[in-house]
Amino acid sequence: MNIIIVDNNQEVGSTTGEMILEKVRQNPNTILGLATGSSPISTYEYVVNKTEQENIDWSNVITFNLDEYKGLAPEHDQSYRYFMNEKLFDKINIKKENTFVPSGLIDTDEEANKYDDLIASKGGIDLQLLGIGTNGHIGFNEPGTSFDSITSIVDLTKSTIEANARFFASEADVPTQAISMGLNSIMQAKEIVLIAIGANKAEAIYELARGKFSPEWPCTILQNHPNVTLVLDQEAASKLQ
């Protein structure tokens, strides 16, 4: 596991953004796994700015997002499809039909499972971007999730709902379920980059890097992946030093 510690959020964004852009420069047909939430915003801002400066071509890139809230249509302003369009896709020359986000309107795990088949049919993910929850979740795979899990409908913990309430009018408006790539789904990526910003992520990062391999900290599954890089600000890395 490669650990890169930088000073602040902006440097997390530039470091991670450069890793993503290098994939696109090297392979115009690269397949990226993408994440949402507050952590990757600085990364996407860097990617957008550099793409404009260097005229980087995204027209043949394919992307798959980790997750989506169950019950939210793509047009809902708190859906992850809306987030990705606003933060990235609308600002680069990627084809929308090449950008995949799990549907929040599916009702069965059988429907959700097809997302893994779709990823496999495109050739698998070359680089997967991850954030991490304070409880160690990656995607929306909460503590106790099976390490064998694939894309499915999942229940969100109270702590995750509370953490995401800041994006909604009230906590009552936060969906209680999501469609999420499973832990086994995430592990199929050829390379993984996980970003963490802030002191509230420090415990989860410690468990990921130094803790016991356990479903109680879903992130620890990454200890078994051959190509993982953590990009951390000083606060997120504080318990490692």
Side-chain angles (χ1 to χ4, degrees), residues 58-133:
W58 286 77
S59 60
N60 291 315
V61 173
I62 296 173
T63 67
F64 287 94
N65 263 80
L66 281 166
D67 42 31
E68 179 61 281
Y69 285 117
K70 188 173 187 306
L72 296 194
E75 304 78 31
H76 191 288
D77 66 3
Q78 291 304 325
S79 76
Y80 286 158
R81 162 57 76 179
Y82 189 98
F83 175 100
M84 291 306 305
N85 288 348
E86 183 182 52
K87 302 297 183 188
L88 184 63
F89 299 151
D90 287 345
K91 298 178 179 180
I92 58 178
N93 71 320
I94 198 166
K95 295 171 185 163
K96 283 287 174 62
E97 62 266 28
N98 286 346
T99 65
F100 298 95
V101 180
S103 170
L105 303 180
I106 66 170
D107 291 314
T108 68
D109 280 339
E110 287 73 25
E111 291 173 281
N113 295 167
K114 292 176 183 175
Y115 198 64
D116 290 55
D117 298 333
L118 181 60
I119 294 170
S121 75
K122 300 295 184 183
I125 291 170
D126 296 309
L127 176 67
Q128 175 68 58
L129 178 65
L130 296 176
I132 188 169

Side-chain angles (χ1 to χ4, degrees), residues 1 4 42-43 69 87 110 133 135 162 168 179 192 214:
M1 190 177 292
I4 300 171
S42 60
T43 296
Y69 285 117
K87 302 297 183 188
E110 287 73 25
N135 62 2
E162 288 171 352
F168 291 82
I179 293 84
I192 293 173
S214 167

